[in-house]
Amino acid sequence: MSTNYQIILAEWIVTVNPEFEVLTDYAIVIKDSHIHDLLPTTDINYLEYYQQADVFDLPNHVIMPGLVNSHTHASMSLLRGLGDDLPLMEWLNDHIWPAEGRWVNTEFVRNGFELAAAEMMRSGTTCFNDMYFYPDTVAQHSQQIGLRAVVGLIVLDFPTAWAKDADDYLHKALAVYDEIKASPLVTAAFAPHAPYTVSDSPLERIAMYSNELDMPVHMHIHETAFEVAEAEKNTGMRPLQRLDQLNLLNPNLIAVHMTELNEFEIERIAEAGVHVSHCPESNLKLASGLCPVAELQNSNINICLGTDGAASNNDLDMFAEMRTATLLAKGVSGDARNCSARQAIEMATINGARALGLGNDIGSIEAGKQADIIALDFTALNTQPTYDPVTQVVYACNSRQVSHVWIAGNCQLADFQLCNIDEDKIRHQTQSWRSKIASTDKESA
Amino acid sequence: MSTNYQIILAEWIVTVNPEFEVLTDYAIVIKDSHIHDLLPTTDINYLEYYQQADVFDLPNHVIMPGLVNSHTHASMSLLRGLGDDLPLMEWLNDHIWPAEGRWVNTEFVRNGFELAAAEMMRSGTTCFNDMYFYPDTVAQHSQQIGLRAVVGLIVLDFPTAWAKDADDYLHKALAVYDEIKASPLVTAAFAPHAPYTVSDSPLERIAMYSNELDMPVHMHIHETAFEVAEAEKNTGMRPLQRLDQLNLLNPNLIAVHMTELNEFEIERIAEAGVHVSHCPESNLKLASGLCPVAELQNSNINICLGTDGAASNNDLDMFAEMRTATLLAKGVSGDARNCSARQAIEMATINGARALGLGNDIGSIEAGKQADIIALDFTALNTQPTYDPVTQVVYACNSRQVSHVWIAGNCQLADFQLCNIDEDKIRHQTQSWRSKIASTDKESA
């Protein structure tokens, strides 16, 4: 295979490197799957590889690292908008769980994933951390489409279409882990659903495997006050305390939601190096609670961002999520300086990469890293004028301004068109699922 | 002038009529500037006017009333992103007011308005309630472009480029009111800036004129706890109490922000018929406070939605504002049923129309009303599948899905292209202002 060079010429590059440098009139040189060099545009003509490279000349564009969605259930896109305006448990019991019980199979998971993958790529997400049934299907198709994925090896106590009991989930988890070991784009995380759906014994085994294999553990934790109160009633402990006893509080843990935290718990997770995946839109929409972002930031806890599934958001738009995260953190803390635009971008890129164990590979634009890169077209009037490209990305840019996407050096979106996905086919599949699912949902039939 | 018919054929029409009917496979017949009829698509071939009408066949589209932005400072779009991540008073004192003092003139106002008008039309806003200097300029150009406007006749105690003292502001206000009387698209509201910038005597005169002319009064009120505390210190009263004594609490008042309200005040404004313009993104971004939306709704107070200016938002996207409003109301009140998608749509349409005294003319799709209508292209994957078009509009639809816009029957956006605005000219003007303004701002120079 001959070497493949691509060069992106841009007005602004928001590198998200440790100094958070913003480079003006710079070029990014991509060599095969990785970032080879960053250099001023004026230098570029002198380089020999310029001759054979594919050149993307993007004036009036902001280039930044691809976004990392640190918590989603991609295939649930087929359930987008089912049972809106309801609280968490009613939404689950009356709509989501019945629909899943009736319809989830490998075809549902593949088609739901394809819908989500197209939406994610179009809106600048280049890596997602998934939690759902049939992770083998998601892994296979994500690799095939070219989207970077961390698939969640789901574990529950009760039977579903995917597995019959905790032992069976764990057995399948390890089989999927073995299957995808060689994949350059897909890695795996253990995904015990939540403290209230997984008992001690499988959690102990997950803690052990995670430690042995150095694998992330991806889990919903302290999503609502109700969850914490019920656990106290049933176990005499708050869920975090129980997880601590089970050896799960360590730098492999991605704790999702975390709306209920006392001072002691914040101190403990800071000390343990736990990552927090903050999903502000889902938390607001389901009225689950408010994650104390400013307090977590003050304790130097690594916070990343997730959309959650499209069934509780109802989109997979990380630009909207960045914006909601920063606005909410300011409003709730009463200090407009909190959770700056820079911090929101870090949460949506490098912090997510670190939480997923991919901090050395993705999350910033630096030589040597994988070329997971997006371009934003700032000629749109809603990003005019631009005084500061960093704040503009967060407070004014619409996800539809994502014009180009590269993942591991492959151009996946060029001039607003998906390169490797047939949108019409996805629309057709989705319509067909809509009819079936609506026919069994009590409100949308 | 011959009669001009247009017919829109759509999959879904979210009428926002009093029953909030959603019509499937219906047609809207527009005659000149108004909505002539609504009828099932199957009937349309039998109608004689179908022969000569312009037909817009929009399958997979949601049609809804044009959005009403009940609080903005359109021309401040030129200051978008100046001094982000700062609290209200620091942002005003160190960035916005110096820039305005140096640069605001009729050309600034016209060019800023043109930038805002293009952004508003593109994102489905067909009517805006403005507050800024040179309302005559905004009125003239809004009428010319074809955007429905309520221009704020601004009043302050202190001198600006527009007027030298309260008397001068009031004199100019009445002159502008006389000038625009005949305009079919533009009306006026008195716009005393805030309780802390306008003294009793001009406020008394505004109350009197508003009553005589039946004109709205558009005012920032109780934006922050600081404002209320300062007023208590300086006047011995909370601002609302003072405005009550000055006879301003009545159905002509559009009270903007209202983040600080006690139970007595909520009862009083409910009884007085005051309208509340809620600007959630601006309130969050400046950490101004949280408007108690659920409590206001429980008291049957008419709440409408505003983006505030692009300098504190930082866009004029009413879809994002609807979404933030409903998510925030659910999250803060702790009840996912609060502020439903239907209520969010009403806030952004009919409630805004009512607050502006235009409830009989716009805000819903009903025969006899003005044809202020927008179409949303739901073929986009982020709105697939659609179980309920109403919740989908609020929770999943991106403002970039606005494909068509009609204002008073004139097609202003067709197939995502602005019909009467030269975007390149606006970009060029904006770039030129950017250079000037950045050169005098201490951070963005």
Side-chain angles (χ1 to χ4, degrees):
Chain A
M1 201 173 83
S2 69
T3 304
N4 176 27
Y5 285 108
Q6 297 172 81
I7 297 178
I8 306 169
L9 306 170
E11 182 157 357
W12 297 286
I13 300 173
V14 178
T15 62
V16 195
N17 66 15
E19 298 75 34
F20 207 84
E21 279 176 288
V22 178
L23 308 172
T24 308
D25 295 321
Y26 254 65
I28 302 174
V29 181
I30 299 172
K31 181 181 176 187
D32 298 325
S33 67
H34 66 276
I35 297 165
H36 180 68
D37 206 356
L38 285 162
L39 67 181
T41 310
T42 46
D43 291 358
I44 197 78
N45 281 312
Y46 303 106
L47 298 171
E48 63 163 25
Y49 46 67
Y50 184 58
Q51 310 282 327
Q52 306 103 21
D54 285 334
V55 177
F56 295 82
D57 192 5
L58 302 174
N60 309 309
H61 285 65
V62 171
I63 311 294
M64 65 181 288
L67 304 177
V68 178
N69 187 343
S70 68
H71 177 64
T72 191
H73 313 283
S75 302
M76 289 182 81
S77 291
L78 291 176
L79 308 178
R80 186 199 309 275
L82 206 67
D84 282 324
D85 293 331
L86 295 175
L88 179 64
M89 292 321 294
E90 198 170 322
W91 170 74
L92 287 173
N93 284 316
D94 296 350
H95 298 274
I96 299 303
W97 286 342
E100 289 186 332
R102 174 70 183 81
W103 296 110
V104 169
N105 58 26
T106 53
E107 199 193 349
F108 176 99
V109 168
R110 193 186 74 236
N111 291 351
F113 161 73
E114 286 170 339
L115 174 61
E119 186 186 349
M120 287 194 277
M121 282 185 178
R122 272 205 165 282
S123 56
T125 294
T126 56
C127 176
F128 71 108
N129 186 33
D130 201 42
M131 180 194 282
Y132 211 58
F133 309 107
Y134 301 96
D136 53 341
T137 300
V138 174
Q140 183 195 334
H141 291 277
S142 207
Q143 175 65 45
Q144 197 174 307
I145 284 177
L147 179 59
R148 195 179 298 280
V150 179
V151 295
L153 309 176
I154 196 159
V155 178
L156 289 161
D157 282 343
F158 52 82
T160 61
W162 169 240
K164 65 178 194 290
D165 57 25
D167 276 350
D168 194 25
Y169 284 101
L170 276 166
H171 175 76
K172 287 185 162 135
L174 294 170
V176 175
Y177 170 76
D178 279 337
E179 255 173 58
I180 66 176
K181 248 189 218 158
S183 166
L185 279 182
V186 180
T187 56
F190 287 103
H193 171 264
Y196 57 93
T197 49
V198 190
S199 50
D200 287 359
S201 160
L203 287 177
E204 276 166 356
R205 288 169 63 193
I206 288 170
M208 187 188 68
Y209 293 139
S210 154
N211 183 43
E212 280 173 12
L213 304 169
D214 196 23
M215 259 172 73
V217 176
H218 173 195
M219 191 175 194
H220 301 105
I221 303 175
H222 287 212
E223 182 167 3
T224 63
F226 176 80
E227 171 195 335
V228 176
E230 284 292 293
E232 283 184 307
K233 208 162 63 184
N234 297 333
T235 68
M237 281 183 282
R238 288 165 67 92
L240 272 175
Q241 192 184 348
R242 179 172 150 241
L243 298 177
D244 204 359
Q245 291 185 2
L246 296 168
N247 296 316
L248 279 159
L249 301 198
N250 61 55
N252 279 327
L253 183 62
I254 305 156
V256 182
H257 298 312
M258 300 287 259
T259 69
E260 290 290 317
L261 291 171
N262 60 34
E263 264 178 57
F264 168 77
E265 288 165 338
I266 292 176
E267 203 177 300
R268 177 68 190 111
I269 62 172
E271 174 198 67
V274 169
H275 311 273
V276 172
S277 171
H278 175 39
C279 303
E281 296 197 352
S282 170
N283 294 160
L284 290 172
K285 181 156 184 286
L286 298 168
S288 300
L290 301 168
C291 176
V293 170
E295 288 88 332
L296 298 180
Q297 284 175 333
N298 289 340
S299 301
N300 293 314
I301 290 165
N302 185 51
I303 311 174
C304 45
L305 272 189
T307 58
D308 209 340
S312 65
N313 186 302
N314 293 348
D315 58 38
L316 304 175
D317 182 340
M318 286 287 288
F319 283 89
E321 210 70 36
M322 273 197 275
R323 189 176 160 109
T324 301
T326 166
L327 294 184
L328 187 64
K330 292 175 194 303
V332 166
S333 68
D335 187 343
R337 281 182 199 78
N338 276 335
C339 199
S340 65
R342 169 179 171 167
Q343 287 175 310
I345 291 175
E346 288 173 337
M347 286 160 70
T349 55
I350 188 68
N351 294 7
R354 279 191 200 120
L356 302 178
L358 300 171
N360 293 325
D361 305 310
I362 60 168
S364 60
I365 297 181
E366 297 179 85
K369 279 202 166 180
Q370 289 283 295
D372 286 16
I373 294 170
I374 64 176
L376 314 173
D377 181 355
F378 266 39
T379 57
L381 293 180
N382 56 293
T383 40
Q384 293 288 328
T386 294
Y387 294 99
D388 177 348
V390 172
T391 65
Q392 198 84 323
V393 162
V394 176
Y395 300 124
C397 184
N398 186 303
S399 60
R400 295 292 184 101
Q401 292 174 247
V402 176
S403 63
H404 294 71
V405 171
W406 288 263
I407 302 175
N410 287 314
C411 188
Q412 293 283 357
L413 185 82
D415 290 320
F416 302 99
Q417 300 300 316
L418 288 166
C419 305
N420 301 315
I421 291 181
D422 179 348
E423 286 200 39
D424 281 336
K425 191 197 84 173
I426 292 174
R427 256 186 284 274
H428 185 75
Q429 284 170 187
T430 304
Q431 283 299 324
S432 154
W433 280 106
R434 190 218 163 275
S435 307
K436 288 193 268 193
I437 294 165
S439 73
T440 58
D441 184 66
K442 59 184 178 186
E443 276 169 24
S444 62
Chain B
M1 202 173 84
S2 68
T3 305
N4 177 26
Y5 285 108
Q6 297 173 81
I7 297 177
I8 307 169
L9 306 171
E11 182 157 356
W12 297 286
I13 301 173
V14 177
T15 61
V16 196
N17 66 14
E19 298 74 34
F20 206 84
E21 280 177 288
V22 178
L23 308 173
T24 307
D25 295 321
Y26 255 66
I28 302 173
V29 181
I30 300 173
K31 181 181 176 186
D32 297 327
S33 66
H34 65 278
I35 297 166
H36 180 67
D37 205 356
L38 286 162
L39 68 182
T41 310
T42 45
D43 293 356
I44 198 79
N45 281 310
Y46 303 105
L47 299 169
E48 61 162 25
Y49 47 67
Y50 183 58
Q51 309 284 326
Q52 306 105 20
D54 286 336
V55 176
F56 295 83
D57 191 7
L58 302 175
N60 308 309
H61 283 65
V62 171
I63 310 294
M64 64 182 289
L67 304 178
V68 178
N69 187 342
S70 68
H71 178 64
T72 191
H73 313 282
S75 302
M76 289 181 81
S77 290
L78 290 176
L79 307 178
R80 185 199 309 276
L82 206 67
D84 281 325
D85 293 330
L86 295 175
L88 179 64
M89 294 319 295
E90 199 170 321
W91 170 74
L92 286 173
N93 284 316
D94 294 351
H95 297 275
I96 299 301
W97 287 342
E100 289 186 331
R102 174 70 185 79
W103 295 110
V104 170
N105 58 25
T106 53
E107 198 193 350
F108 175 99
V109 168
R110 193 185 74 236
N111 292 350
F113 162 73
E114 287 169 338
L115 175 61
E119 186 187 350
M120 287 194 276
M121 282 185 178
R122 272 202 166 283
S123 55
T125 294
T126 54
C127 177
F128 70 109
N129 187 31
D130 201 43
M131 180 193 282
Y132 212 59
F133 310 106
Y134 302 96
D136 53 341
T137 299
V138 174
Q140 184 195 333
H141 290 277
S142 208
Q143 174 65 45
Q144 199 174 307
I145 284 177
L147 179 60
R148 196 179 297 280
V150 179
V151 295
L153 309 176
I154 195 160
V155 177
L156 290 160
D157 283 345
F158 52 83
T160 62
W162 167 240
K164 64 179 194 290
D165 57 25
D167 277 350
D168 194 24
Y169 284 100
L170 276 167
H171 174 76
K172 287 186 162 132
L174 294 171
V176 175
Y177 169 75
D178 279 337
E179 257 173 56
I180 65 175
K181 248 191 220 157
S183 167
L185 278 181
V186 181
T187 56
F190 288 103
H193 171 264
Y196 58 92
T197 49
V198 190
S199 49
D200 286 358
S201 159
L203 287 178
E204 277 166 355
R205 287 170 64 195
I206 288 170
M208 186 187 69
Y209 293 138
S210 155
N211 183 43
E212 280 172 11
L213 304 170
D214 195 23
M215 260 172 71
V217 176
H218 174 195
M219 191 174 194
H220 300 105
I221 302 174
H222 288 213
E223 183 166 3
T224 63
F226 176 79
E227 171 196 336
V228 176
E230 284 293 293
E232 283 185 306
K233 207 164 64 186
N234 297 333
T235 68
M237 282 182 282
R238 288 165 68 91
L240 271 176
Q241 191 184 350
R242 180 173 149 239
L243 298 177
D244 203 358
Q245 292 184 0
L246 296 167
N247 296 317
L248 279 159
L249 301 198
N250 60 55
N252 279 328
L253 183 62
I254 304 157
V256 182
H257 298 312
M258 300 286 261
T259 70
E260 290 291 317
L261 291 172
N262 59 36
E263 264 178 56
F264 169 78
E265 288 165 338
I266 291 175
E267 203 177 303
R268 177 69 191 111
I269 62 171
E271 172 199 67
V274 169
H275 311 273
V276 171
S277 171
H278 174 39
C279 302
E281 295 198 351
S282 169
N283 293 159
L284 290 172
K285 183 157 184 284
L286 298 167
S288 300
L290 301 168
C291 176
V293 170
E295 288 88 332
L296 298 180
Q297 284 175 332
N298 288 339
S299 301
N300 294 313
I301 290 164
N302 185 51
I303 311 175
C304 45
L305 273 188
T307 58
D308 210 340
S312 64
N313 185 303
N314 293 347
D315 58 39
L316 304 176
D317 183 339
M318 285 287 287
F319 283 89
E321 210 71 36
M322 272 197 276
R323 189 176 160 109
T324 302
T326 164
L327 294 184
L328 187 64
K330 290 175 194 304
V332 166
S333 68
D335 187 343
R337 283 182 197 80
N338 277 335
C339 201
S340 65
R342 169 180 170 164
Q343 287 176 310
I345 291 176
E346 288 173 336
M347 286 159 70
T349 56
I350 189 67
N351 293 7
R354 280 191 198 119
L356 301 178
L358 299 171
N360 293 324
D361 304 311
I362 61 168
S364 61
I365 298 184
E366 297 179 85
K369 279 201 165 179
Q370 290 283 295
D372 286 17
I373 294 170
I374 63 176
L376 314 173
D377 181 355
F378 265 39
T379 57
L381 292 180
N382 57 293
T383 39
Q384 292 287 329
T386 294
Y387 294 99
D388 177 348
V390 171
T391 64
Q392 198 85 321
V393 162
V394 176
Y395 300 123
C397 184
N398 186 304
S399 60
R400 294 294 183 101
Q401 292 175 246
V402 176
S403 64
H404 293 72
V405 170
W406 288 263
I407 302 175
N410 287 314
C411 188
Q412 292 284 356
L413 186 80
D415 288 322
F416 303 99
Q417 300 300 316
L418 288 166
C419 306
N420 301 313
I421 291 181
D422 179 349
E423 286 200 39
D424 281 337
K425 191 196 87 174
I426 292 174
R427 259 186 282 274
H428 185 77
Q429 283 170 188
T430 304
Q431 283 298 325
S432 154
W433 279 107
R434 190 219 163 275
S435 309
K436 287 194 269 193
I437 294 166
S439 74
T440 59
D441 184 67
K442 61 186 177 184
E443 276 169 23
S444 62

